[in-house]
Amino acid sequence: MRVSLLGTVLVSATLWSLSTAQVKTIQGDLKLQTVWDNIWGVVQVVFLADGKVLTVHKPGELHVYNSVEAKSQDYVTLLDIKDQVYSWWDHGLLSASFHPQFPQQPYLYIAYSSESPGNPWQDQCVPDPKKVAMTNPPDTRPYCKTMAKLVRLKVDPDLTSAKFDQELFQDWCSSTYTHHVGTINWLEDGSMIYGAGDGSHFQGLDHGQPQDECTDPKGPKDQGVFTAQKDAYLRGKFLHISPAAVLKNGYLQGGQDYSQISKGSRNPFRTTVDPKTGDIYIGDVGSSVWEEINRIPNPLSADYRKPNFGWPCVEGVDAVSDIYQTWLRAEGLLATCQDVYDGNFTKPVFSYRYGAVDPDFPDECKEADASISGITFYTGDKLPYRFQNKLFWVDYSKKCGFWFDQTADGTPDFSHAHAFMTTTGAQAGGVTDIKTGTDGYLYVVDYAGGKLYRFGATDDTRMDALMNGGGPEAVVGDTKMWIETAPSTYNWQYGDLVTYQLMTPPGFPAIDPDKVKWRVTNGHCVKNPCTGSNDCHFHEVSLTKDSLTGMKGSFRPSPHPMESFIKILGTVEMPDGSTEKVEFTTHALAYNYKLTSDPPGLPIIIDEFTCLVSPCITSQMAKTNPGFAAQNVQVYQDEIYKFDHWVATSVSTGKAKVVARTIYEETADGDYAVEARYVKTKMAAMDDPTLGVPANVQADGEFERVSVTWEPHAPGPNAPDFITISIRDATTHELVKEHMTTAAKGAVVLPLPSAPADYTVDMSWVSSSRNARGIRTWPVAFSSKAELTTGKLACLAGTQFAEELKSSPIAGLGDQYQIALLGTYPTTLAQGQQVRLTFDVVSATASQLMVNILDKNDYSWLAGKVVNIPAKTERIVVVDFTIDTEVTHKAEYFIDALLIQDAKDYTSALVEDTSAGGIVGIAVPDATPVAATTTIPVPAGTTPNSPLQPTQPGALAGPRREPGDETPKQPTAVVAAANP
């Protein structure tokens, strides 16, 4: 740890060469080249008929290359409007397209998020304390009003300069950080197709908060995300702009210059037009359930009908958005989505989410998160014949590319997505565009990696020769420079200003500050319910002009679901002309939540996911608002219960607060145990025939789960709004599993015991407004399987939040001693760093919680602590300590937690829990341990003991063996037991 001249405590790290990422093709008749490297900020590529290439850069620049064979630095800046573009998170300059008759019509059209006139945000958005306090609980999300613009530029014939000619639109008001600007496309008659997102927050509920200047205070309650369903707004809509209007002087007028041709889109980032049919295909980035490819029929055709894609009422084919329907029901506003719930919406032509997208490659592209980010029809001739005229698309989060074959009539065959591109490694493969080049090759833009890729046929010898004229510039690996940040890692919170500085050792060559360039990205990881891994993708963090270059800079982190972290990348041109890169990862302070219910085991909604069986575990960045929701009606032991309130108990103080709303959004200011409490309801009517009986009930048993489907029932004034699902043992008829969900869903997947068995399922409608339950269906028989069926996903959405309590293996003590490592824990370690861990502990008698951080290779001890646990403990315990010993550079560590009877005897362990590893050590140059900058209170009732001392092989318990050993070794150091 180092201290700056200003007295700020800094954590530093020496950086090894950047983690390599490999983009590859998995089709044997394709090959891949990196055409350009270090083209940071590029989100789109446009190919012109004369061979020139236009690259679109999110911060607000357009670059022109004479050809795709030019070197990556050999371009002309056609336009630089960085001071006018609001490039924060997913906002920015995202799309450009030449008039289809260019250069006869010398126009280029651009779509971008604009800076606020008179009050520019300068690509930053910081919560306003006055706005935060406008609601109870305070809404800590940032709200910075911006508009999207569609602008016509006049371009000179040689593409060396461009000037503003006409602003056609200034609309799509958005105060959030995503779901904004879309893609420009053209139809055969010269008319334009343009669409944009819903402009709403993706984290938590956004129904049109008072903090949002885009919300009309005199308008209805359901604004925000719901504007995608309202014709009075352009948000979430696609527009058809006439050929004359795109050349018009003046703002365009609805009904005269353009018409709405679809609604109900969330974040339609990229679109393409079928060159044969004129149909428009949209890649709509989904929420937490489905990614969608949607189709708008050719607006010029006689059989065109305006589609409604259903957002935010539904996602995918029939997935009702639980958190939004819960809010609509509570506010009496179900009519907003009634038409969609009645089934009057256009289903996607293709949807996907978890696991491998291509069943032919089950081990590829199976990341948990997904973001469809580019789509095009390949119209070239350089790929093998089987790829020609096919629909291709790419996914930013899965870091993969796919294509569809064709049906007999030449339209895409959406029954099977075929993978052609995959990525291994972290910060690359974040692709944002895919296009056919003028030269006939297929090109993919890698925004996260700052690259342009070219795909061609394996036997294409010309493609190899093309690389002679250009290619990526070499970058030197291992460097002795490092980056320091303040506040230190795991100590900054949402809203803090985080500074970074490039550091060099004594005698290092002098660095010209103007030769240092910075890039900051926000990594976001989602736990994959299929694999258990944390799958990550990256968002750009906007920097001010002063922070883009120089020896130091700063940024303000944005709220993001956990696990979330910041990567700081510095690119340095050395005095000898070589280039070196340094990188540092820093993490926010996060708090952990244990969500339970009374009665126990009921589902809880976490953002857009439903944790099927509580207790549920999740983490939240400090000072942000979680988005938990409780369904207002549930079933338990065949009785109906209604939601009453939440009780949130602080782990550090033991104080409890009550929240009466079904949606829990209290600011994250500590670890909490949060319980959703229900009360049993006396039903006014049982077996009510007026509610009807669920129809077409089917059950498909699989290994450890069952898929249950039924004919959905749309909500309405007198209609049932929920459905109960009861699964019973087919022989004993005992209740094995029960579940209640919204009647409009039509499908649910529920967990089952591992052992194969025969079951039945019966269902009944419930009306929460009438306190009535309908007649049960006849039992439908099904059987679970002993192993997973080939081709099926080995996962269940929502299970990623399930708590995994480890029970004592000692006979008779299983339920008396339990332990679980909860939520987020550090993934990097450096000397002087504070470590903060959260555990769920059950201990019938007085015991001690021993926490060790161990080297995964040889089990050598790095750090740890012992905490006294009183008898009859059933609660969350926070353990914090500082890494006072030297950390091995690049070593992998793991956390080992033991509940023991006596710290003097490691073999007295009652139960043990360990992390999966993946914690990387970072050596700190000339480290001198300094007191932690933040003091985290120890939970009431616990007393921290002295830290463990280093041992060989470490503070291990039970039968664990070192590699190659046949007998367990005893530690050579002993920690004195603390008085209970």
Side-chain angles (χ1 to χ4, degrees), residues 383-549:
L383 300 190
Y385 180 76
R386 70 189 182 103
F387 299 106
Q388 294 178 19
N389 302 311
K390 305 297 171 57
L391 180 61
F392 280 71
W393 52 284
V394 290
D395 188 292
Y396 185 95
S397 298
K398 286 186 178 292
K399 308 172 188 176
C400 287
F402 307 89
W403 92 96
F404 295 107
D405 269 326
Q406 292 178 342
T407 60
D409 64 0
T411 58
D413 179 3
F414 294 107
S415 65
H416 187 145
H418 304 272
F420 76 92
M421 181 191 83
T422 65
T423 304
T424 57
Q427 199 161 337
V431 288
T432 56
D433 197 21
I434 181 170
K435 290 283 180 60
T436 305
T438 308
D439 56 7
Y441 292 102
L442 182 68
Y443 290 86
V444 172
V445 172
D446 183 351
Y447 169 75
K451 302 176 189 294
L452 179 68
Y453 303 117
R454 172 167 49 211
F455 290 84
T458 304
D459 58 0
D460 186 340
T461 56
R462 178 179 177 275
M463 186 174 168
D464 297 328
L466 291 177
M467 294 305 295
N468 294 336
E473 289 73 37
V475 176
V476 177
D478 274 322
T479 179
K480 294 182 179 179
M481 297 179 289
W482 69 91
I483 297 169
E484 294 184 338
T485 66
S488 59
T489 190
Y490 299 109
N491 278 322
W492 53 265
Q493 307 176 72
Y494 168 56
D496 286 348
L497 181 70
V498 180
T499 62
Y500 52 86
Q501 184 172 0
L502 181 68
M503 306 298 292
T504 60
F508 198 80
I511 302 297
D512 182 352
D514 293 336
K515 301 295 184 180
V516 182
K517 297 181 179 180
W518 296 99
R519 182 174 185 239
V520 178
T521 56
N522 188 168
H524 168 223
C525 302
V526 177
K527 187 174 181 180
N528 193 324
C530 305
T531 63
S533 62
N534 278 329
D535 300 332
C536 306
H537 66 270
F538 291 84
H539 299 271
E540 194 83 8
V541 175
S542 300
L543 300 176
T544 63
K545 184 177 180 180
D546 292 341
S547 295
L548 289 169
T549 59

Side-chain angles (χ1 to χ4, degrees), residues 84 86 91-92 110-117 144-151 166-176 178-182 194-200 212-215 223-224 227-228 230-239 241 250-255 258 260:
Q84 302 175 47
Y86 181 52
H91 288 57
I110 58 174
Y112 63 93
S113 305
S114 64
E115 281 284 5
S116 178
C144 296
K145 180 182 177 181
T146 182
M147 308 294 282
K149 291 187 177 183
L150 182 61
V151 172
Q166 179 61 51
E167 188 174 288
L168 300 175
F169 276 102
Q170 179 176 277
D171 207 299
W172 297 281
C173 186
S174 173
S175 296
T176 68
T178 188
H179 305 182
H180 208 205
V181 179
Y194 180 74
D198 63 19
S200 68
D212 190 345
E213 293 181 55
C214 296
T215 298
Q223 297 183 52
T227 58
K230 297 177 180 290
D231 293 337
Y233 300 83
L234 297 186
R235 292 159 65 167
K237 315 297 192 308
F238 272 82
L239 308 181
I241 307 171
Y251 285 105
L252 304 189
Q253 304 299 318
Y258 68 88
Q260 293 185 18

Side-chain angles (χ1 to χ4, degrees), residues 331-342:
E331 298 293 331
L333 295 172
L334 282 171
T336 301
C337 288
Q338 190 64 58
D339 202 39
V340 175
Y341 293 151
D342 287 339

Side-chain angles (χ1 to χ4, degrees), residues 198-201 204-209 215 220-237 263-266 308 310-314 321-329 331 333-338 340-341 608 663:
D198 63 19
S200 68
H201 271 290
L205 184 70
D206 187 352
H207 53 78
Q209 275 66 14
T215 298
K221 281 187 176 182
D222 52 341
Q223 297 183 52
V225 67
F226 297 106
T227 58
Q229 285 295 315
K230 297 177 180 290
D231 293 337
Y233 300 83
L234 297 186
R235 292 159 65 167
K237 315 297 192 308
K263 67 178 181 178
S265 290
R266 180 180 183 266
N308 178 359
W311 174 258
C313 312
V314 298
S321 177
D322 286 334
I323 195 167
Y324 285 115
Q325 189 180 91
T326 297
W327 183 84
L328 288 173
R329 179 176 286 108
E331 298 293 331
L333 295 172
L334 282 171
T336 301
C337 288
Q338 190 64 58
V340 175
Y341 293 151
E608 280 292 295
I663 297 174

Side-chain angles (χ1 to χ4, degrees), residues 805 815-819 840-844 847 869 873-875 899 911:
L805 269 172
D815 294 335
Q816 298 182 43
Y817 300 95
Q818 297 177 310
I819 187 174
D840 197 2
V841 178
V842 175
S843 184
S847 61
I869 303 298
T873 291
E874 291 187 26
R875 59 178 175 77
L899 201 60
V911 61

